[in-house]
Amino acid sequence: LEQAEQHIRAALADKPDSKLAHFNLALIAEKRGAWQTAAEEYQKEIDTQANAYQAAFNLGKLHEQAGRQDAQEAAFRLSIALNPRFAEGHFYLAKFYLDAGREFAEAERLAKKGLEVGAASAYAALGHYVLADLYSRQGRAIDAAREAALGKQRERRAGRR
């Protein structure tokens, strides 16, 4: 990791707006357990790169680990704004709302949108499970069972990849 970090920092010295440089520094920081440094590097990637949706998503996951819900929600929202076809952003924001016990209509919309844009996503099962949980809470047992079965089916398919 030391050598990789040195190479990235050298590239940044030559070209401060090097694409994925801060993203990769954030990944290195995460491997080291340096969460604050990782968050700062993801933010730098977002600030310097127009399409840094994966950095925004990863930042949201860091905020989730730290229990910073407002920042987590904002980062997941940003990942979708930067790439509306990023299924994982939709799934994780839907799950965020489900876990928070609020915005159930938005959670349903997000889960469905994630499935629409990311039918082949490795995380598609999560979209189905969010819908199953939402439908269960609404007393829609048949719809909940259908979505749970679809989630299990997606998990089996993902396991064969």
Side-chain angles (χ1 to χ4, degrees):
L1 292 178
E2 287 294 325
Q3 205 171 30
E5 182 178 5
Q6 289 172 2
H7 288 301
I8 294 167
R9 292 203 183 280
L12 279 170
D14 288 341
K15 189 175 180 213
D17 64 343
S18 295
K19 187 174 176 132
L20 296 176
H22 291 291
F23 182 86
N24 286 315
L25 288 173
L27 292 176
I28 291 169
E30 279 193 76
K31 287 234 186 260
R32 292 180 175 149
W35 310 119
Q36 184 59 40
T37 301
E40 291 167 5
E41 292 296 341
Y42 283 132
Q43 190 60 56
K44 287 177 186 175
E45 185 74 16
I46 293 164
D47 293 343
T48 61
Q49 303 303 318
N51 195 26
Y53 65 91
Q54 187 69 51
F57 178 74
N58 289 10
L59 182 59
K61 289 169 50 178
L62 284 178
H63 288 312
E64 178 181 19
Q65 292 172 6
R68 293 188 295 265
Q69 290 186 342
D70 288 345
Q72 175 189 356
E73 178 183 7
F76 287 157
R77 279 208 166 282
L78 179 59
S79 74
I80 296 168
L82 293 172
N83 182 356
R85 298 197 57 79
F86 181 52
E88 287 81 353
H90 289 88
F91 296 142
Y92 273 73
L93 186 56
K95 185 175 182 321
F96 169 82
Y97 287 133
L98 179 69
D99 292 346
R102 62 184 177 91
E103 306 286 343
F104 290 152
E106 178 68 354
E108 181 178 7
R109 186 193 70 75
L110 287 161
K112 286 179 175 179
K113 183 65 175 180
L115 290 168
E116 175 189 321
V117 300
S121 167
Y123 293 92
L126 178 59
H128 288 292
Y129 290 139
V130 166
L131 290 172
D133 198 345
L134 286 168
Y135 295 154
S136 178
R137 291 178 190 206
Q138 296 169 349
R140 297 167 57 186
I142 293 171
D143 292 332
R146 180 191 68 240
E147 291 299 333
L150 287 169
K152 288 178 185 174
Q153 185 180 52
R154 297 283 180 139
E155 277 188 303
R156 283 192 299 273
R157 278 192 217 152
R160 285 186 250 162
R161 289 183 194 172

